[in-house]
PDB file of all heavy atoms in Angstrom:
ATOM      1  N   ASN A  98      10.388  -0.330  -6.104  1.00 91.00           N
ATOM      2  CA  ASN A  98      10.806   0.977  -6.556  1.00 91.00           C
ATOM      3  C   ASN A  98      10.145   2.185  -5.724  1.00 91.00           C
ATOM      4  O   ASN A  98      10.565   3.315  -6.087  1.00 91.00           O
ATOM      5  CB  ASN A  98      10.455   1.151  -8.083  1.00 91.00           C
ATOM      6  CG  ASN A  98      11.231   0.081  -8.831  1.00 91.00           C
ATOM      7  OD1 ASN A  98      12.442  -0.132  -8.716  1.00 91.00           O
ATOM      8  ND2 ASN A  98      10.522  -0.670  -9.680  1.00 91.00           N
ATOM      9  N   LEU A  99       9.326   1.871  -4.803  1.00 94.00           N
ATOM     10  CA  LEU A  99       8.782   2.974  -4.038  1.00 94.00           C
ATOM     11  C   LEU A  99       9.821   3.555  -3.071  1.00 94.00           C
ATOM     12  O   LEU A  99       9.567   4.669  -2.637  1.00 94.00           O
ATOM     13  CB  LEU A  99       7.482   2.488  -3.382  1.00 94.00           C
ATOM     14  CG  LEU A  99       6.331   2.356  -4.354  1.00 94.00           C
ATOM     15  CD1 LEU A  99       5.199   1.474  -3.838  1.00 94.00           C
ATOM     16  CD2 LEU A  99       5.808   3.627  -4.827  1.00 94.00           C
ATOM     17  N   ASN A 100      10.912   2.894  -2.896  1.00 93.00           N
ATOM     18  CA  ASN A 100      12.024   3.476  -2.165  1.00 93.00           C
ATOM     19  C   ASN A 100      12.690   4.690  -3.002  1.00 93.00           C
ATOM     20  O   ASN A 100      13.336   5.496  -2.313  1.00 93.00           O
ATOM     21  CB  ASN A 100      13.139   2.415  -1.928  1.00 93.00           C
ATOM     22  CG  ASN A 100      13.631   1.726  -3.156  1.00 93.00           C
ATOM     23  OD1 ASN A 100      12.883   1.260  -3.942  1.00 93.00           O
ATOM     24  ND2 ASN A 100      14.974   1.832  -3.358  1.00 93.00           N
ATOM     25  N   LEU A 101      12.259   4.816  -4.244  1.00 88.00           N
ATOM     26  CA  LEU A 101      12.787   5.832  -5.064  1.00 88.00           C
ATOM     27  C   LEU A 101      11.893   7.046  -5.162  1.00 88.00           C
ATOM     28  O   LEU A 101      11.995   7.965  -6.047  1.00 88.00           O
ATOM     29  CB  LEU A 101      13.200   5.329  -6.454  1.00 88.00           C
ATOM     30  CG  LEU A 101      14.328   4.283  -6.392  1.00 88.00           C
ATOM     31  CD1 LEU A 101      14.522   3.753  -7.919  1.00 88.00           C
ATOM     32  CD2 LEU A 101      15.530   4.793  -5.897  1.00 88.00           C
ATOM     33  N   LEU A 102      10.777   7.063  -4.344  1.00 83.00           N
ATOM     34  CA  LEU A 102       9.885   8.243  -4.449  1.00 83.00           C
ATOM     35  C   LEU A 102      10.649   9.454  -4.255  1.00 83.00           C
ATOM     36  O   LEU A 102      11.611   9.567  -3.416  1.00 83.00           O
ATOM     37  CB  LEU A 102       8.814   8.108  -3.344  1.00 83.00           C
ATOM     38  CG  LEU A 102       7.690   7.049  -3.642  1.00 83.00           C
ATOM     39  CD1 LEU A 102       6.759   7.118  -2.429  1.00 83.00           C
ATOM     40  CD2 LEU A 102       6.910   7.436  -4.912  1.00 83.00           C
ATOM     41  N   GLY A 103      10.211  10.546  -4.899  1.00 87.00           N
ATOM     42  CA  GLY A 103      10.974  11.780  -4.870  1.00 87.00           C
ATOM     43  C   GLY A 103      12.027  11.872  -5.931  1.00 87.00           C
ATOM     44  O   GLY A 103      12.405  12.941  -6.291  1.00 87.00           O
ATOM     45  N   VAL A 104      12.484  10.773  -6.454  1.00 88.00           N
ATOM     46  CA  VAL A 104      13.578  10.771  -7.494  1.00 88.00           C
ATOM     47  C   VAL A 104      12.969  10.183  -8.771  1.00 88.00           C
ATOM     48  O   VAL A 104      13.232  10.695  -9.914  1.00 88.00           O
ATOM     49  CB  VAL A 104      14.707   9.920  -7.014  1.00 88.00           C
ATOM     50  CG1 VAL A 104      15.785   9.804  -8.133  1.00 88.00           C
ATOM     51  CG2 VAL A 104      15.332  10.437  -5.729  1.00 88.00           C
ATOM     52  N   ARG A 105      12.217   9.091  -8.672  1.00 82.00           N
ATOM     53  CA  ARG A 105      11.688   8.427  -9.816  1.00 82.00           C
ATOM     54  C   ARG A 105      10.443   9.042 -10.476  1.00 82.00           C
ATOM     55  O   ARG A 105       9.518   9.317  -9.730  1.00 82.00           O
ATOM     56  CB  ARG A 105      11.240   6.923  -9.372  1.00 82.00           C
ATOM     57  CG  ARG A 105      10.630   6.212 -10.443  1.00 82.00           C
ATOM     58  CD  ARG A 105      10.024   4.857  -9.962  1.00 82.00           C
ATOM     59  NE  ARG A 105       9.362   4.154 -10.999  1.00 82.00           N
ATOM     60  CZ  ARG A 105       8.329   3.380 -10.876  1.00 82.00           C
ATOM     61  NH1 ARG A 105       7.859   3.181  -9.624  1.00 82.00           N
ATOM     62  NH2 ARG A 105       7.736   2.756 -11.847  1.00 82.00           N
ATOM     63  N   GLU A 106      10.610   9.466 -11.668  1.00 73.00           N
ATOM     64  CA  GLU A 106       9.531  10.050 -12.388  1.00 73.00           C
ATOM     65  C   GLU A 106       8.644  10.991 -11.556  1.00 73.00           C
ATOM     66  O   GLU A 106       7.462  10.747 -11.398  1.00 73.00           O
ATOM     67  CB  GLU A 106       8.640   8.970 -13.092  1.00 73.00           C
ATOM     68  CG  GLU A 106       9.354   8.103 -14.057  1.00 73.00           C
ATOM     69  CD  GLU A 106       8.552   6.921 -14.585  1.00 73.00           C
ATOM     70  OE1 GLU A 106       8.427   5.962 -13.766  1.00 73.00           O
ATOM     71  OE2 GLU A 106       8.056   7.072 -15.647  1.00 73.00           O
ATOM     72  N   PRO A 107       9.219  12.089 -11.165  1.00 73.00           N
ATOM     73  CA  PRO A 107       8.411  13.010 -10.273  1.00 73.00           C
ATOM     74  C   PRO A 107       7.190  13.569 -10.976  1.00 73.00           C
ATOM     75  O   PRO A 107       6.289  13.894 -10.267  1.00 73.00           O
ATOM     76  CB  PRO A 107       9.453  14.092  -9.895  1.00 73.00           C
ATOM     77  CG  PRO A 107      10.599  13.940 -10.879  1.00 73.00           C
ATOM     78  CD  PRO A 107      10.566  12.566 -11.369  1.00 73.00           C
ATOM     79  N   GLU A 108       7.193  13.642 -12.277  1.00 76.00           N
ATOM     80  CA  GLU A 108       5.953  14.056 -13.014  1.00 76.00           C
ATOM     81  C   GLU A 108       4.864  13.116 -12.850  1.00 76.00           C
ATOM     82  O   GLU A 108       3.657  13.574 -12.979  1.00 76.00           O
ATOM     83  CB  GLU A 108       6.366  14.301 -14.469  1.00 76.00           C
ATOM     84  CG  GLU A 108       6.581  13.061 -15.315  1.00 76.00           C
ATOM     85  CD  GLU A 108       8.036  12.502 -15.133  1.00 76.00           C
ATOM     86  OE1 GLU A 108       8.852  13.021 -14.383  1.00 76.00           O
ATOM     87  OE2 GLU A 108       8.345  11.513 -15.833  1.00 76.00           O
ATOM     88  N   ILE A 109       5.081  11.909 -12.465  1.00 74.00           N
ATOM     89  CA  ILE A 109       4.018  10.937 -12.167  1.00 74.00           C
ATOM     90  C   ILE A 109       3.858  10.696 -10.702  1.00 74.00           C
ATOM     91  O   ILE A 109       2.658  10.678 -10.194  1.00 74.00           O
ATOM     92  CB  ILE A 109       4.355   9.510 -12.792  1.00 74.00           C
ATOM     93  CG1 ILE A 109       4.384   9.666 -14.407  1.00 74.00           C
ATOM     94  CG2 ILE A 109       3.340   8.442 -12.371  1.00 74.00           C
ATOM     95  CD1 ILE A 109       4.807   8.488 -15.139  1.00 74.00           C
ATOM     96  N   TYR A 110       4.942  10.547  -9.968  1.00 74.00           N
ATOM     97  CA  TYR A 110       4.855  10.131  -8.535  1.00 74.00           C
ATOM     98  C   TYR A 110       5.146  11.268  -7.572  1.00 74.00           C
ATOM     99  O   TYR A 110       5.026  11.099  -6.394  1.00 74.00           O
ATOM    100  CB  TYR A 110       5.883   9.028  -8.278  1.00 74.00           C
ATOM    101  CG  TYR A 110       5.559   7.798  -9.163  1.00 74.00           C
ATOM    102  CD1 TYR A 110       6.404   7.503 -10.218  1.00 74.00           C
ATOM    103  CD2 TYR A 110       4.489   6.991  -8.885  1.00 74.00           C
ATOM    104  CE1 TYR A 110       6.072   6.397 -11.072  1.00 74.00           C
ATOM    105  CE2 TYR A 110       4.122   5.940  -9.682  1.00 74.00           C
ATOM    106  CZ  TYR A 110       4.981   5.617 -10.763  1.00 74.00           C
ATOM    107  OH  TYR A 110       4.751   4.509 -11.516  1.00 74.00           O
ATOM    108  N   GLY A 111       5.427  12.489  -8.064  1.00 74.00           N
ATOM    109  CA  GLY A 111       5.632  13.624  -7.177  1.00 74.00           C
ATOM    110  C   GLY A 111       7.034  13.741  -6.564  1.00 74.00           C
ATOM    111  O   GLY A 111       7.892  12.945  -6.877  1.00 74.00           O
ATOM    112  N   SER A 112       7.221  14.720  -5.753  1.00 78.00           N
ATOM    113  CA  SER A 112       8.522  14.981  -5.189  1.00 78.00           C
ATOM    114  C   SER A 112       8.670  14.464  -3.745  1.00 78.00           C
ATOM    115  O   SER A 112       9.754  14.542  -3.167  1.00 78.00           O
ATOM    116  CB  SER A 112       8.820  16.453  -5.337  1.00 78.00           C
ATOM    117  OG  SER A 112       7.859  17.118  -4.517  1.00 78.00           O
TER     118      SER A 112
END
Side-chain angles (χ1 to χ4, degrees):
N98 302 308
L99 289 161
N100 57 306
L101 298 177
L102 284 178
V104 175
R105 176 186 177 213
E106 300 177 280
E108 67 280 5
I109 295 173
Y110 301 105
S112 59

